[in-house]
Amino acid sequence: MRENKMQIAIDGPAGAGKSTIAKKLAAVYGMTYLDTGAMYRCIAHCVLNQGDNFDDTDDIIRLAKEAEISFEGDRVFCNNKEVTKEIRTPLVSRHTSDVARIKEVRELLVIQQRKFAKDHSVVMDGRDIGSVVLPEADFKFFLDADVLERARRRKKELEERGIVKNLENLKNEIQQRDDNDRNRTEGPLVKVKDAIVIDTTGKSIKEVCDIMRSYIDGVKA
């Protein structure tokens, strides 16, 4: 463990429960949670505000260079404006992988993520945390779940925010995002060899957290 700073990396596809569980673990161990997915969502949100041109790679890179992203607890800020709710819309979700596939965008954000992890004990979730961002993390987990269950979870999450979506459409969108994440050249979604794989299908948040804590506490003990 580096200079008493612990690193927990959590990877997995959309809707596997990464963010919710990462927040729980961070609270249990008094660590800081960094939502890397929110950072890519911020860039997608910026592109949408600039005219919705996801084919203009140079302009997307420019927006990523100019973006000032910060967090205050669960609140997300981009360029001094709170965007916590705006970056969670289905439209932003649909386009996040369009910016995440761009090498220069990933490099810019990974630098920020690594710097944060160097200065804090962190729980970090995403698609390439254990493989690219924090390859020397103390613990690496890969969470997965059946695609239909992931779609149901996302539907419930959206409905709680007043957004109604068709379940089948959500399932198709998640499958498309999975394909994009797994097949992109830069930072694809992969299970690293030393990751602890947990299928969260049919498991409660507490059950998954307890499984993860058994690994963490077992090593710590």
Side-chain angles (χ1 to χ4, degrees):
M1 200 176 300
R2 68 220 44 80
E3 298 180 357
N4 298 318
K5 299 291 192 301
M6 184 189 289
Q7 296 179 354
I8 299 177
I10 304 177
D11 291 303
K18 301 185 303 298
S19 298
T20 301
I21 289 163
K23 291 176 186 176
K24 295 286 185 184
L25 283 182
V28 167
Y29 293 105
M31 300 168 69
T32 301
Y33 166 62
L34 184 64
D35 184 352
T36 64
M39 299 175 76
Y40 291 99
R41 285 174 175 271
C42 282
I43 307 305
H45 179 62
C46 288
V47 177
L48 288 166
N49 283 345
Q50 290 286 312
D52 193 16
N53 186 358
F54 286 90
D55 294 323
D56 190 340
T57 300
D58 290 338
D59 194 52
I60 295 174
I61 295 169
R62 176 187 64 80
L63 290 170
K65 286 180 179 178
E66 295 175 353
E68 296 181 8
I69 303 169
S70 60
F71 299 85
E72 292 183 12
D74 290 336
R75 301 170 70 194
V76 185
F77 295 82
C78 185
N79 298 328
N80 298 314
K81 178 184 177 183
E82 183 173 2
V83 293
T84 308
K85 292 182 179 179
E86 289 89 335
I87 64 171
R88 299 295 174 184
T89 65
L91 182 60
V92 171
S93 295
R94 194 178 311 133
H95 287 292
T96 297
S97 58
D98 291 331
V99 301
R101 64 178 173 77
I102 300 172
K103 177 182 179 182
E104 291 83 356
V105 171
R106 299 197 70 83
E107 288 175 345
L108 287 165
L109 296 187
V110 166
I111 288 171
Q112 295 180 39
Q113 293 157 10
R114 285 177 175 164
K115 183 179 185 304
F116 192 89
K118 183 179 180 182
D119 299 332
H120 305 80
S121 287
V122 294
V123 181
M124 203 177 292
D125 73 301
R127 302 293 189 278
D128 63 346
I129 308 303
S131 58
V132 176
V133 183
L134 303 177
E136 302 301 322
D138 301 283
F139 301 95
K140 299 177 186 178
F141 295 97
F142 189 97
L143 304 187
D144 205 348
D146 173 80
V147 66
L148 182 57
E149 177 154 338
R150 289 190 281 135
R152 288 181 179 135
R153 291 174 183 173
R154 185 55 54 87
K155 187 176 190 297
K156 181 181 178 182
E157 174 190 320
L158 290 171
E159 287 175 345
E160 289 172 351
R161 300 205 305 269
I163 302 171
V164 179
K165 287 280 289 184
N166 176 273
L167 181 62
E168 189 63 26
N169 290 344
L170 271 176
K171 179 183 174 183
N172 292 337
E173 288 178 9
I174 288 174
Q175 287 178 319
Q176 182 59 57
R177 188 170 177 188
D178 286 351
D179 289 340
N180 291 345
D181 289 340
R182 290 191 175 102
N183 296 319
R184 68 187 179 214
T185 303
E186 299 300 325
L189 172 65
V190 295
K191 296 177 186 177
V192 293
K193 291 182 178 180
D194 54 344
I196 298 162
V197 180
I198 302 173
D199 186 342
T200 68
T201 305
K203 294 183 176 66
S204 68
I205 293 169
K206 183 180 184 303
E207 287 173 326
V208 178
C209 284
D210 286 346
I211 293 170
M212 296 170 79
R213 289 183 64 186
S214 71
Y215 286 100
I216 297 169
D217 295 341
V219 173
K220 287 173 64 179

